[in-house]
Amino acid sequence: MANEVWKHFEENEITHSAAHYLMTINTLLAEHGYARVTDIAKHLNITRGSCSISLRPLKRRGLVVEDENKFLQLSEEGRRLAELVERNDELLEILFRDVLGVSDEQAEIDACKIEHLLSIETSVRLANFIHLIQSNSKVVRAFIKALEESQLQCLHEAARCDLCQHICFFEGEGETAKHPDERT
Ligand SMILES: [Zn+2]
Ligand SMILES: [Zn+2]
């Protein structure tokens, strides 16, 4: 079963683009109390035309609702999805940055890419984990310290390297590639 998942990857509940439309509408509604196509287009830095086209399937699915004055609202399901993806983004960013030690920028990028793909089950488990991490208790501080102190370093020889295992991940990436041991 699990090894068949990749075949259905494109059948995720919402696409990444749809997730960002829903989150944008949710943000605009919270900040201004209304959301029109113009506002969404401006917020996402796209044209009105392509914004309208992208909103069509969301309206068809009943996630976005337009009233007679062309003001957009989210249905309960639309809002649920928007808030779930937003929460996932926040949790993933904290996990990558504060627990794993990924740089701010990369943590933000990777969280954005995955945010819409988590199941509720994983999202809830992740929320529990981050909740514990943010308690900053003695055991959490000890754990973070132990993790920092046990970072693997690439040996540039895959057979002996615990990071790469079969082929070196870092060779041929040019000078921009950052090795774990160069992390600041
Ligand atoms: Zn994203
Ligand atoms: Zn290596």
Side-chain angles (χ1 to χ4, degrees):
M1 189 60 197
N3 59 358
E4 295 282 309
V5 166
W6 67 273
K7 294 181 184 171
H8 306 287
F9 188 73
E10 309 298 338
E11 293 167 23
N12 192 54
E13 194 170 16
I14 43 168
T15 63
H16 194 190
S17 152
H20 276 264
Y21 278 89
L22 295 178
M23 289 193 288
T24 299
I25 297 171
N26 202 30
T27 302
L28 289 169
L29 289 172
E31 284 176 6
H32 308 294
Y34 63 87
R36 297 161 304 177
V37 174
T38 323
D39 308 313
I40 300 164
K42 200 173 155 197
H43 198 274
L44 290 172
N45 200 20
I46 50 169
T47 65
R48 262 188 114 265
S50 77
C51 185
S52 292
I53 293 168
S54 299
L55 284 169
R56 257 179 238 159
L58 296 175
K59 288 186 197 163
R60 216 179 300 131
R61 281 182 59 191
L63 299 173
V64 173
V65 188
E66 190 178 68
D67 71 15
E68 60 275 19
N69 299 313
K70 303 267 181 197
F71 283 89
L72 300 164
Q73 293 288 338
L74 294 178
S75 66
E76 202 182 312
E77 178 67 357
R79 181 150 181 242
R80 188 185 69 84
L81 280 171
E83 302 245 342
L84 176 66
V85 175
E86 258 162 47
R87 183 80 176 116
N88 285 343
D89 181 69
E90 194 183 306
L91 292 169
L92 287 165
E93 201 176 318
I94 295 170
L95 172 71
F96 296 153
R97 187 190 59 223
D98 299 347
V99 183
L100 302 185
V102 178
S103 68
D104 286 8
E105 194 192 351
Q106 196 60 52
E108 200 180 315
I109 291 169
D110 288 353
C112 176
K113 287 196 278 194
I114 312 169
E115 63 197 0
H116 64 299
L117 298 173
L118 298 189
S119 65
I120 292 268
E121 182 185 354
T122 301
S123 181
V124 167
R125 293 285 169 170
L126 181 58
N128 281 320
F129 179 67
I130 298 300
H131 182 73
L132 175 69
I133 291 293
Q134 292 188 323
S135 71
N136 200 28
S137 63
K138 207 174 151 191
V139 66
V140 167
R141 286 199 304 273
F143 168 73
I144 297 285
K145 189 161 179 275
L147 184 62
E148 276 169 8
E149 286 168 1
S150 69
Q151 296 294 309
L152 297 170
Q153 301 199 347
C154 182
L155 302 172
H156 303 291
E157 198 186 318
R160 294 192 303 126
C161 182
D162 287 325
L163 274 177
C164 306
Q165 296 178 328
H166 301 299
I167 184 166
C168 186
F169 295 147
F170 300 97
E171 272 160 20
E173 282 205 354
E175 289 185 9
T176 51
K178 249 197 178 175
H179 290 197
D181 47 311
E182 285 168 358
R183 219 170 64 189
T184 47

